[in-house]
Amino acid sequence: MQIVLRNLLFAFTGLLGGMAQAEAVSILGRNVLNAGRGSLFVAARSPQSGQTAALFIDRDHRGMFSDRPANVTAYASAPAILRGTDVQVIRALIEEAESRRDGYDAVQHGARIKPRKRPTQMTLAEIFAWIKATPGQPHAIGRYQFVPKTLRRVVAKVGAKPTQRFDAKMQDKLADILLVEAGLHRFRAGALGRKGFMNNLAKIWAGLPNSSGKSHYEGYAGNKASITLRRFDAVMARISPDRG
């Protein structure tokens, strides 16, 4: 009887040991004991190519820091017109250099076929239609003398609709994109010197002189500075954080 009980106890103990071994799992990953089972801390699966964006994918539209498509605004919402005396002074200086006679309704004097309406009375669609219908001539237009390539780019950046008018408010908003690109915020913060900012502005507007006293585009397509470096510097000095 005792022998039978010992045999039964041995068999039962072996059965429990086998069950315990079968249920053993590693919380750190797979091993021989848990092949085919999920670990408690199993690593996340690698995303399949093309399905999930990496944070720093270079030059890829899915990356957080990649270039945005041309039709997507670079802002959470269309940027408001910049405020401040410094911006007003810079805008007026650009008008003095680029469009002092007609301001917001200026059309490049070399354009043989002018728009049928004043630029401020035209929609963006009408502006682009005029450009397309009159190839082979200058198309710089408005207070800031936007050329077609630049105009298309900044219109896309602010998310403007073709039906919106090319009025003063719109022109200011589009020009503000260029001011920011030239380093306006850095200039305001004192991180970009007056001369450096002036040279950046001169790379955008041919009527402004760079530190050489000439247009950045001197002699190209008849361009030349239309105000003196002394005038440009004196005006900018009044709004410059460095005052130097």
Side-chain angles (χ1 to χ4, degrees):
M1 184 67 176
Q2 291 180 348
I3 295 174
V4 173
L5 289 174
R6 281 200 301 269
N7 289 339
L8 289 173
L9 180 62
F10 178 80
F12 183 69
T13 302
L15 179 61
L16 289 176
M19 290 175 62
Q21 186 178 37
E23 289 299 314
V25 295
S26 168
I27 66 171
L28 297 178
R30 295 181 178 181
N31 55 28
V32 176
L33 298 178
N34 70 344
R37 294 178 60 89
S39 166
L40 183 62
F41 291 95
V42 65
R45 292 184 180 179
S46 298
Q48 295 181 1
S49 177
Q51 290 183 343
T52 305
L55 187 61
F56 292 96
I57 296 178
D58 184 36
R59 311 300 294 176
D60 187 302
H61 72 278
R62 294 168 297 168
M64 183 174 179
F65 290 93
S66 59
D67 289 341
R68 295 171 175 83
N71 64 335
V72 177
T73 178
Y75 304 85
S77 59
I81 294 177
L82 294 175
R83 304 297 180 187
T85 301
D86 54 351
V87 173
Q88 296 172 6
V89 168
I90 296 169
R91 289 181 189 151
L93 196 57
I94 295 168
E95 180 181 56
E96 182 180 337
E98 298 285 345
S99 56
R100 68 180 66 182
R101 190 185 70 176
D102 297 317
Y104 291 103
D105 283 317
V107 177
Q108 219 272 3
H109 63 83
R112 300 181 307 278
I113 304 174
K114 302 291 194 297
R116 295 181 179 180
K117 296 190 290 186
R118 297 164 69 92
T120 53
Q121 299 302 312
M122 299 172 72
T123 64
L124 291 169
E126 289 173 327
I127 295 287
F128 290 122
W130 166 70
I131 292 171
K132 184 177 181 179
T134 57
Q137 68 171 19
H139 294 102
I141 193 166
R143 186 188 197 192
Y144 306 101
Q145 289 294 278
F146 295 101
V147 296
K149 183 177 180 180
T150 301
L151 182 60
R152 290 189 186 94
R153 184 174 67 82
V154 293
V155 163
K157 270 207 166 186
V158 302
K161 298 178 181 178
T163 54
Q164 290 183 264
R165 278 175 48 193
F166 190 61
D167 57 16
K169 185 176 180 179
M170 175 61 72
Q171 291 184 39
D172 285 346
K173 180 181 289 189
L174 298 176
D176 287 350
I177 294 293
L178 302 179
L179 295 184
V180 171
E181 291 178 352
L184 175 65
H185 295 325
R186 293 170 56 219
F187 171 70
R188 282 174 161 178
L192 176 63
R194 183 170 80 249
K195 297 297 175 63
F197 185 44
M198 289 168 60
N199 282 334
N200 288 348
L201 292 173
K203 291 176 183 178
I204 299 173
W205 286 283
L208 297 173
N210 58 25
S211 54
S212 72
K214 296 182 179 180
S215 170
H216 184 79
Y217 304 96
E218 186 77 20
Y220 178 76
N223 283 311
K224 63 180 181 179
S226 55
I227 63 173
T228 66
L229 178 58
R230 182 176 180 179
R231 165 68 176 165
F232 189 15
D233 187 60
V235 173
M236 294 298 291
R238 297 204 306 265
I239 61 171
S240 178
D242 60 25
R243 303 290 180 180

